[in-house]
Amino acid sequence: MKFKKKTLLKFLAAIAGVFATILLLLSVPQPFFRSSVTAKNLTLYSDQPFAPESGQRVLELAEAKLAQSPLYSAEQKHLVFICNARWRQRLFFTYVYGAGGVNYYPLTTNVFLRNSIIEENCLIGPSGNRTSGERTLDYFIAHEITHTLTGQAVGGIAYHRLPQWKREGYADYVGKGAAFNYDEAKQAFLANDPKMDWAKSGLYWRFHLLVAHLLDKQHWSVQRVLEDPIEQQTVEDMIRAEKP
């Protein structure tokens, strides 16, 4: 019995050690990223050299979007790390390897993004193609940082209990900013456009539309959108009943 107890304790200690190591890497990843630039309260790190002026421009675009959110504070610093090397993506993306970006709030407020071309303000998707349209590099930066802002607004536990349409919809709302076209999205929703199905397209277009409806058409506050128990189906019915 003593032998089994010691074995169990060693196993638990090993698990705790692994977790502590991962948490340390996620919290203090700077040694793995040599190039960096800062614009206002945002700092962009990369494991490859990049033109500082391009990095500043991307950060300025992201900050302008974030500043439109009432949850944002210009006093809080945010760090973004671009993982160009595949091994760094595997190391810092852990269980979500292959995603465009990841935010581990409340474990850390650091944001990690996959390989990018900073000079062109674009991310490189898993297929090897550059992201296009509204999903620019500054979009991904603002999107992921908004997850931190959302978590801080409602609390860590409540944040992870938020339905996906609210959590991702609001991050998309901030990330796309003025590039989002409500009428176009509504028409796609009513026409059952496949891009509106997150499971098939990987896009948060449907969730963005629902959040935009509550914020811009119903004039709800962001805090109310996050805290009200309204169901996704209810918002979808509201959109369908909306007058042209």
mmCIF file of all heavy atoms in Angstrom, residues 199-222:
data_model
loop_
_atom_site.group_PDB
_atom_site.id
_atom_site.type_symbol
_atom_site.label_atom_id
_atom_site.label_comp_id
_atom_site.label_asym_id
_atom_site.label_seq_id
_atom_site.Cartn_x
_atom_site.Cartn_y
_atom_site.Cartn_z
ATOM 1 N N ALA A 199 -19.124 25.233 -38.118
ATOM 2 C CA ALA A 199 -18.590 23.872 -38.164
ATOM 3 C C ALA A 199 -18.061 23.518 -39.545
ATOM 4 O O ALA A 199 -17.148 22.697 -39.678
ATOM 5 C CB ALA A 199 -19.660 22.875 -37.740
ATOM 6 N N LYS A 200 -18.619 24.136 -40.594
ATOM 7 C CA LYS A 200 -18.192 23.836 -41.959
ATOM 8 C C LYS A 200 -17.162 24.831 -42.490
ATOM 9 O O LYS A 200 -16.263 24.458 -43.236
ATOM 10 C CB LYS A 200 -19.413 23.812 -42.890
ATOM 11 C CG LYS A 200 -20.402 22.703 -42.581
ATOM 12 C CD LYS A 200 -21.589 22.754 -43.530
ATOM 13 C CE LYS A 200 -22.579 21.633 -43.241
ATOM 14 N NZ LYS A 200 -23.760 21.688 -44.142
ATOM 15 N N SER A 201 -17.329 26.091 -42.129
ATOM 16 C CA SER A 201 -16.465 27.129 -42.698
ATOM 17 C C SER A 201 -15.315 27.551 -41.781
ATOM 18 O O SER A 201 -14.314 28.084 -42.247
ATOM 19 C CB SER A 201 -17.300 28.371 -43.026
ATOM 20 O OG SER A 201 -17.778 28.983 -41.832
ATOM 21 N N GLY A 202 -15.482 27.332 -40.474
ATOM 22 C CA GLY A 202 -14.471 27.794 -39.526
ATOM 23 C C GLY A 202 -14.541 29.296 -39.294
ATOM 24 O O GLY A 202 -13.669 29.862 -38.618
ATOM 25 N N LEU A 203 -15.572 29.938 -39.828
ATOM 26 C CA LEU A 203 -15.733 31.389 -39.690
ATOM 27 C C LEU A 203 -16.763 31.713 -38.610
ATOM 28 O O LEU A 203 -17.702 30.952 -38.383
ATOM 29 C CB LEU A 203 -16.180 31.995 -41.022
ATOM 30 C CG LEU A 203 -15.266 31.762 -42.226
ATOM 31 C CD1 LEU A 203 -15.911 32.341 -43.487
ATOM 32 C CD2 LEU A 203 -13.893 32.396 -41.993
ATOM 33 N N TYR A 204 -16.587 32.868 -37.969
ATOM 34 C CA TYR A 204 -17.493 33.289 -36.900
ATOM 35 C C TYR A 204 -18.532 34.293 -37.399
ATOM 36 O O TYR A 204 -19.078 35.076 -36.627
ATOM 37 C CB TYR A 204 -16.687 33.915 -35.760
ATOM 38 C CG TYR A 204 -15.681 32.979 -35.141
ATOM 39 C CD1 TYR A 204 -14.333 33.351 -35.021
ATOM 40 C CD2 TYR A 204 -16.065 31.726 -34.676
ATOM 41 C CE1 TYR A 204 -13.414 32.489 -34.449
ATOM 42 C CE2 TYR A 204 -15.147 30.857 -34.117
ATOM 43 C CZ TYR A 204 -13.812 31.245 -33.997
ATOM 44 O OH TYR A 204 -12.916 30.397 -33.435
ATOM 45 N N TRP A 205 -18.813 34.253 -38.688
ATOM 46 C CA TRP A 205 -19.693 35.229 -39.323
ATOM 47 C C TRP A 205 -21.088 35.233 -38.698
ATOM 48 O O TRP A 205 -21.669 36.282 -38.434
ATOM 49 C CB TRP A 205 -19.790 34.921 -40.827
ATOM 50 C CG TRP A 205 -20.127 36.101 -41.684
ATOM 51 C CD1 TRP A 205 -20.068 37.425 -41.331
ATOM 52 C CD2 TRP A 205 -20.565 36.075 -43.045
ATOM 53 N NE1 TRP A 205 -20.440 38.219 -42.387
ATOM 54 C CE2 TRP A 205 -20.748 37.414 -43.455
ATOM 55 C CE3 TRP A 205 -20.803 35.049 -43.953
ATOM 56 C CZ2 TRP A 205 -21.167 37.759 -44.727
ATOM 57 C CZ3 TRP A 205 -21.218 35.386 -45.233
ATOM 58 C CH2 TRP A 205 -21.397 36.726 -45.615
ATOM 59 N N ARG A 206 -21.651 34.054 -38.437
ATOM 60 C CA ARG A 206 -22.980 33.944 -37.844
ATOM 61 C C ARG A 206 -22.985 34.539 -36.436
ATOM 62 O O ARG A 206 -23.880 35.313 -36.064
ATOM 63 C CB ARG A 206 -23.404 32.473 -37.787
ATOM 64 C CG ARG A 206 -24.846 32.252 -37.353
ATOM 65 C CD ARG A 206 -25.138 30.778 -37.124
ATOM 66 N NE ARG A 206 -26.548 30.463 -37.233
ATOM 67 C CZ ARG A 206 -27.152 30.055 -38.340
ATOM 68 N NH1 ARG A 206 -26.460 29.915 -39.463
ATOM 69 N NH2 ARG A 206 -28.446 29.770 -38.341
ATOM 70 N N PHE A 207 -21.979 34.173 -35.642
ATOM 71 C CA PHE A 207 -21.893 34.664 -34.267
ATOM 72 C C PHE A 207 -21.722 36.184 -34.244
ATOM 73 O O PHE A 207 -22.300 36.872 -33.398
ATOM 74 C CB PHE A 207 -20.728 33.990 -33.546
ATOM 75 C CG PHE A 207 -20.757 32.484 -33.574
ATOM 76 C CD1 PHE A 207 -19.580 31.746 -33.528
ATOM 77 C CD2 PHE A 207 -21.964 31.796 -33.658
ATOM 78 C CE1 PHE A 207 -19.603 30.362 -33.536
ATOM 79 C CE2 PHE A 207 -21.997 30.402 -33.675
ATOM 80 C CZ PHE A 207 -20.805 29.689 -33.627
ATOM 81 N N HIS A 208 -20.928 36.688 -35.178
ATOM 82 C CA HIS A 208 -20.704 38.132 -35.287
ATOM 83 C C HIS A 208 -22.032 38.834 -35.573
ATOM 84 O O HIS A 208 -22.347 39.874 -34.958
ATOM 85 C CB HIS A 208 -19.702 38.403 -36.413
ATOM 86 C CG HIS A 208 -19.266 39.826 -36.527
ATOM 87 N ND1 HIS A 208 -18.024 40.184 -37.028
ATOM 88 C CD2 HIS A 208 -19.889 41.002 -36.250
ATOM 89 C CE1 HIS A 208 -17.917 41.505 -37.029
ATOM 90 N NE2 HIS A 208 -19.039 42.016 -36.558
ATOM 91 N N LEU A 209 -22.816 38.290 -36.481
ATOM 92 C CA LEU A 209 -24.101 38.880 -36.835
ATOM 93 C C LEU A 209 -25.018 38.969 -35.613
ATOM 94 O O LEU A 209 -25.676 39.998 -35.392
ATOM 95 C CB LEU A 209 -24.779 38.049 -37.934
ATOM 96 C CG LEU A 209 -26.209 38.468 -38.308
ATOM 97 C CD1 LEU A 209 -26.209 39.852 -38.947
ATOM 98 C CD2 LEU A 209 -26.827 37.428 -39.251
ATOM 99 N N LEU A 210 -25.061 37.911 -34.815
ATOM 100 C CA LEU A 210 -25.939 37.899 -33.643
ATOM 101 C C LEU A 210 -25.533 38.977 -32.644
ATOM 102 O O LEU A 210 -26.380 39.699 -32.101
ATOM 103 C CB LEU A 210 -25.894 36.520 -32.975
ATOM 104 C CG LEU A 210 -26.259 35.315 -33.845
ATOM 105 C CD1 LEU A 210 -26.274 34.041 -33.018
ATOM 106 C CD2 LEU A 210 -27.601 35.510 -34.518
ATOM 107 N N VAL A 211 -24.239 39.070 -32.383
ATOM 108 C CA VAL A 211 -23.743 40.083 -31.447
ATOM 109 C C VAL A 211 -23.981 41.483 -32.009
ATOM 110 O O VAL A 211 -24.393 42.396 -31.286
ATOM 111 C CB VAL A 211 -22.247 39.855 -31.154
ATOM 112 C CG1 VAL A 211 -21.651 41.043 -30.390
ATOM 113 C CG2 VAL A 211 -22.058 38.568 -30.358
ATOM 114 N N ALA A 212 -23.733 41.669 -33.305
ATOM 115 C CA ALA A 212 -23.934 42.973 -33.938
ATOM 116 C C ALA A 212 -25.404 43.383 -33.853
ATOM 117 O O ALA A 212 -25.717 44.565 -33.667
ATOM 118 C CB ALA A 212 -23.482 42.932 -35.393
ATOM 119 N N HIS A 213 -26.294 42.423 -33.978
ATOM 120 C CA HIS A 213 -27.725 42.741 -33.895
ATOM 121 C C HIS A 213 -28.067 43.290 -32.508
ATOM 122 O O HIS A 213 -28.787 44.295 -32.390
ATOM 123 C CB HIS A 213 -28.565 41.499 -34.183
ATOM 124 C CG HIS A 213 -30.044 41.742 -34.075
ATOM 125 N ND1 HIS A 213 -30.761 42.367 -35.060
ATOM 126 C CD2 HIS A 213 -30.920 41.480 -33.065
ATOM 127 C CE1 HIS A 213 -32.028 42.478 -34.675
ATOM 128 N NE2 HIS A 213 -32.151 41.949 -33.471
ATOM 129 N N LEU A 214 -27.562 42.640 -31.467
ATOM 130 C CA LEU A 214 -27.862 43.089 -30.106
ATOM 131 C C LEU A 214 -27.223 44.443 -29.799
ATOM 132 O O LEU A 214 -27.847 45.309 -29.178
ATOM 133 C CB LEU A 214 -27.390 42.042 -29.097
ATOM 134 C CG LEU A 214 -28.120 40.691 -29.131
ATOM 135 C CD1 LEU A 214 -27.511 39.742 -28.111
ATOM 136 C CD2 LEU A 214 -29.614 40.874 -28.855
ATOM 137 N N LEU A 215 -25.993 44.627 -30.260
ATOM 138 C CA LEU A 215 -25.286 45.872 -29.960
ATOM 139 C C LEU A 215 -25.759 47.047 -30.813
ATOM 140 O O LEU A 215 -25.993 48.148 -30.296
ATOM 141 C CB LEU A 215 -23.779 45.672 -30.160
ATOM 142 C CG LEU A 215 -23.060 44.760 -29.160
ATOM 143 C CD1 LEU A 215 -21.602 44.571 -29.580
ATOM 144 C CD2 LEU A 215 -23.127 45.335 -27.749
ATOM 145 N N ASP A 216 -25.904 46.813 -32.111
ATOM 146 C CA ASP A 216 -26.163 47.920 -33.041
ATOM 147 C C ASP A 216 -27.633 48.130 -33.374
ATOM 148 O O ASP A 216 -28.036 49.252 -33.711
ATOM 149 C CB ASP A 216 -25.375 47.700 -34.334
ATOM 150 C CG ASP A 216 -23.879 47.621 -34.090
ATOM 151 O OD1 ASP A 216 -23.408 48.199 -33.092
ATOM 152 O OD2 ASP A 216 -23.188 46.969 -34.902
ATOM 153 N N LYS A 217 -28.431 47.071 -33.301
ATOM 154 C CA LYS A 217 -29.851 47.198 -33.642
ATOM 155 C C LYS A 217 -30.727 47.293 -32.389
ATOM 156 O O LYS A 217 -31.676 48.074 -32.353
ATOM 157 C CB LYS A 217 -30.295 46.011 -34.502
ATOM 158 C CG LYS A 217 -29.507 45.853 -35.806
ATOM 159 C CD LYS A 217 -29.635 47.080 -36.702
ATOM 160 C CE LYS A 217 -28.850 46.891 -37.998
ATOM 161 N NZ LYS A 217 -28.987 48.075 -38.903
ATOM 162 N N GLN A 218 -30.397 46.507 -31.377
ATOM 163 C CA GLN A 218 -31.163 46.540 -30.134
ATOM 164 C C GLN A 218 -30.557 47.508 -29.112
ATOM 165 O O GLN A 218 -31.159 47.776 -28.083
ATOM 166 C CB GLN A 218 -31.237 45.131 -29.527
ATOM 167 C CG GLN A 218 -31.913 44.097 -30.419
ATOM 168 C CD GLN A 218 -33.356 44.457 -30.723
ATOM 169 O OE1 GLN A 218 -34.066 44.965 -29.870
ATOM 170 N NE2 GLN A 218 -33.806 44.183 -31.957
ATOM 171 N N HIS A 219 -29.356 47.967 -29.420
ATOM 172 C CA HIS A 219 -28.654 48.947 -28.580
ATOM 173 C C HIS A 219 -28.389 48.449 -27.154
ATOM 174 O O HIS A 219 -28.487 49.200 -26.190
ATOM 175 C CB HIS A 219 -29.428 50.271 -28.555
ATOM 176 C CG HIS A 219 -29.709 50.810 -29.924
ATOM 177 N ND1 HIS A 219 -28.707 51.252 -30.772
ATOM 178 C CD2 HIS A 219 -30.889 50.940 -30.609
ATOM 179 C CE1 HIS A 219 -29.247 51.652 -31.919
ATOM 180 N NE2 HIS A 219 -30.562 51.460 -31.852
ATOM 181 N N TRP A 220 -28.055 47.177 -27.060
ATOM 182 C CA TRP A 220 -27.646 46.618 -25.773
ATOM 183 C C TRP A 220 -26.223 47.078 -25.480
ATOM 184 O O TRP A 220 -25.449 47.358 -26.400
ATOM 185 C CB TRP A 220 -27.668 45.096 -25.828
ATOM 186 C CG TRP A 220 -29.028 44.478 -25.755
ATOM 187 C CD1 TRP A 220 -30.217 45.053 -26.103
ATOM 188 C CD2 TRP A 220 -29.322 43.149 -25.322
ATOM 189 N NE1 TRP A 220 -31.245 44.159 -25.920
ATOM 190 C CE2 TRP A 220 -30.737 42.980 -25.433
ATOM 191 C CE3 TRP A 220 -28.565 42.086 -24.857
ATOM 192 C CZ2 TRP A 220 -31.368 41.789 -25.092
ATOM 193 C CZ3 TRP A 220 -29.189 40.908 -24.515
ATOM 194 C CH2 TRP A 220 -30.576 40.757 -24.625
ATOM 195 N N SER A 221 -25.872 47.106 -24.214
ATOM 196 C CA SER A 221 -24.484 47.368 -23.833
ATOM 197 C C SER A 221 -23.695 46.079 -23.993
ATOM 198 O O SER A 221 -24.270 44.974 -24.011
ATOM 199 C CB SER A 221 -24.404 47.840 -22.382
ATOM 200 O OG SER A 221 -24.776 46.786 -21.495
ATOM 201 N N VAL A 222 -22.381 46.191 -24.098
ATOM 202 C CA VAL A 222 -21.550 44.987 -24.216
ATOM 203 C C VAL A 222 -21.720 44.118 -22.974
ATOM 204 O O VAL A 222 -21.830 42.884 -23.068
ATOM 205 C CB VAL A 222 -20.057 45.372 -24.386
ATOM 206 C CG1 VAL A 222 -19.175 44.132 -24.327
ATOM 207 C CG2 VAL A 222 -19.853 46.110 -25.701
#
